[in-house]
Amino acid sequence: MTDVETVTSLDLRGKTITTFILYEAHHALQNRAVGDRIELVTDAFPAIDPDIAAWCRTTGNPLIDVGVDGEARRYVIENGPQRRSGHKLAAVISDDGLFELLSPLGFALAAALEGDDVSIYFLGPALRILAKGYTAKMHGPGRPFSRFPRSGLAKVGHIPPEDKITQLQELGAQLYACAPSMDHYKVDQDDLAFDDVTVCEYLTFMEQMHSADIQLYV
């Protein structure tokens, strides 16, 4: 591995979810000078390598070096000039299941981390995710045992859905809540756990979908 000076080193071994890894990288690079470098230390998990490389290409943060250190991989990333991707993702999420939320929130996080403008509309049961104190659970007979898979998911980097939503807002995502769903599930504006949520119906979010070149409906 090339001997390069880094500003900080992040030990992320044990985490295999690349949105978790790259959120930490993004956070470490924020407010750093252009040309500063960070080092990510991860497990040698097959999906990590191409995802870090793709993120670096998309964001303009050069991947300076990749090395192997026993069972670990080391990535040196240079902070490039900040830029937006020019893309926009509009996602509609209607399911509040623990596993059903993994993909839509994962793709939304990936898009936000790559510099896309992200808008998310929560309706139906998913609206409850925005309420204070709500915890996503498994569907069906496994529902009472949801804490066990939650623990396993968190171990590899799938943080709770409400924490992913907080990360998305920090990355600039805009949240929308379906007004009829709020009424149906007895969630008032004061019950929302997040600030700056636009309460609306379909036509308002259709405006976001019209301008989006990436659309998800889950």
Side-chain angles (χ1 to χ4, degrees):
M1 181 174 178
T2 304
D3 184 18
V4 293
E5 183 179 353
T6 60
V7 172
T8 188
S9 181
L10 302 177
D11 189 344
L12 297 166
R13 285 174 290 185
K15 306 298 184 184
T16 57
I17 303 304
T18 50
T19 49
F20 181 96
I21 292 168
L22 290 168
Y23 177 83
E24 295 299 319
H26 168 85
H27 186 72
L29 289 172
Q30 276 189 312
N31 303 318
R32 302 281 191 184
V34 173
D36 284 351
R37 295 175 179 180
I38 63 170
E39 178 186 63
L40 306 180
V41 183
T42 75
D43 293 331
F45 188 70
I48 295 175
D49 195 86
D51 269 26
I52 288 179
W55 180 78
C56 288
R57 288 193 300 270
T58 305
T59 59
N61 296 311
L63 181 58
I64 300 299
D65 202 11
V66 181
V68 179
D69 184 2
E71 296 297 318
R73 298 275 279 180
R74 296 180 179 272
Y75 304 86
V76 176
I77 300 172
E78 185 172 284
N79 194 24
Q82 290 190 0
R83 70 184 191 190
R84 303 296 295 175
S85 71
H87 295 289
K88 180 174 180 177
L89 179 145
V92 177
I93 301 179
S94 58
D95 200 312
D96 67 342
L98 179 63
F99 289 115
E100 286 74 13
L101 288 167
L102 294 179
S103 289
L105 291 180
F107 276 113
L109 263 176
L113 285 165
E114 290 194 338
D116 297 357
D117 292 329
V118 173
S119 300
I120 308 174
Y121 186 65
F122 294 88
L123 79 163
L127 183 279
R128 295 182 292 187
I129 301 163
L130 300 180
K132 297 173 183 175
Y134 186 79
T135 301
K137 295 179 173 62
M138 295 169 60
H139 288 322
R143 185 177 178 84
F145 309 100
S146 296
R147 65 186 179 92
F148 297 110
R150 272 203 305 270
S151 177
L153 290 169
K155 184 177 180 181
V156 297
H158 269 308
I159 62 175
E162 58 271 20
D163 292 341
K164 289 183 179 178
I165 294 171
T166 296
Q167 288 185 344
L168 280 160
Q169 278 200 311
E170 290 175 357
L171 293 166
Q174 301 297 311
L175 306 183
Y176 295 78
C178 173
S181 296
M182 289 180 66
D183 184 60
H184 179 79
Y185 289 101
K186 311 301 181 187
V187 177
D188 296 327
Q189 185 93 36
D190 290 341
D191 297 325
L192 296 176
F194 305 92
D195 296 327
D196 300 321
V197 177
T198 300
V199 178
C200 60
E201 294 191 31
Y202 298 125
L203 292 171
T204 298
F205 197 70
M206 278 302 301
E207 185 177 26
Q208 300 302 314
M209 298 184 78
H210 286 156
S211 61
D213 56 333
I214 307 169
Q215 298 181 5
L216 294 177
Y217 189 98
V218 183

